[in-house]
Amino acid sequence: MPDAIKKVPLAVKVNGRQHSLSVEPRTLLVELLRENLDLTGTHVGCDTTYCGACTVLMNGAAVKSCTIFAVQADGAEITTVEGLEREGQLHPVQKAFADAYGLQCGYCTPGLMLSAFELLTRNNQPSEKEIRRAIAGNTCRCTGYQNIFKAIQMAAENMKGA
Ligand code: FES
Ligand code: FES
């Protein structure tokens, strides 16, 4: 019988809550989020860094959590889609995706909202080209993207008043 894989300790802050746990070194960040912390809003579409369904923020930067080992997030602050909501209120980005019909099946939506959030945090008046660049790593198979652009433009307006 092969030796058990030795687990390694890690500490990570997710959506403002500190967690200390032990994981196998091969554990991916998306597995940590979904399986250890039960944050299933982060989706897995391709597992090969293509689709962006697994996008989360790591220290404020949008990253594909299927491509990062959990241990690489040791000491980091992670934001998942569950962390956008505040006290039962949808974040302006979430509200805009709903109001502008920026989704159909919704599988891509958590990742898109986090890419949009990251863009709008550093640029509250993005051009269409800047929006396109910000979500270039997020694939949507349903919408044709037009309502996603509208949602992000609406979110920019909403966030100015927030
Ligand atoms: S699941 Fe990570 S990029 Fe597709
Ligand atoms: S809404 Fe279905 S993949 Fe984007």
Side-chain angles (χ1 to χ4, degrees):
M1 192 165 143
D3 292 340
I5 296 170
K6 194 166 178 276
K7 292 191 173 183
V8 290
L10 80 96
V12 64
K13 196 184 240 188
V14 181
N15 300 334
R17 196 164 152 216
Q18 192 67 44
H19 299 271
S20 297
L21 57 175
S22 297
V23 295
E24 291 184 2
R26 64 184 174 176
T27 303
L28 298 170
L29 178 57
V30 70
E31 294 171 330
L32 175 84
L33 295 170
R34 289 180 56 86
E35 292 166 28
N36 295 71
L37 302 182
D38 209 20
L39 293 169
T40 53
T42 303
H43 293 161
V44 180
C46 65
D47 234 350
T48 59
T49 326
Y50 170 72
C51 74
C54 63
T55 303
V56 299
L57 302 186
M58 185 158 115
N59 296 329
V63 297
K64 293 181 176 177
S65 60
C66 74
T67 311
I68 293 181
F69 288 116
V71 290
Q72 291 176 279
D74 189 25
E77 282 200 34
I78 305 292
T79 304
T80 71
V81 68
E82 291 90 345
L84 290 180
E85 179 193 309
R86 284 280 177 277
E87 293 166 6
Q89 299 294 313
L90 291 181
H91 186 276
V93 171
Q94 293 173 301
K95 189 163 176 353
F97 268 77
D99 291 347
Y101 303 101
L103 66 148
Q104 287 182 26
C105 79
Y107 203 82
C108 66
T109 313
L112 270 162
M113 291 197 295
L114 285 161
S115 292
F117 175 86
E118 194 244 7
L119 168 68
L120 297 176
T121 302
R122 57 186 162 75
N123 176 2
N124 67 2
Q125 277 189 306
S127 64
E128 186 174 328
K129 195 171 167 190
E130 287 166 330
I131 294 174
R132 284 181 188 276
R133 189 174 302 134
I135 63 167
N138 295 86
T139 302
C140 176
R141 296 287 189 203
C142 304
T143 63
Y145 294 95
Q146 289 312 311
N147 284 359
I148 291 172
F149 292 126
K150 283 186 199 156
I152 297 173
Q153 284 162 337
M154 188 186 284
E157 289 304 312
N158 292 349
M159 284 175 75
K160 273 187 220 156

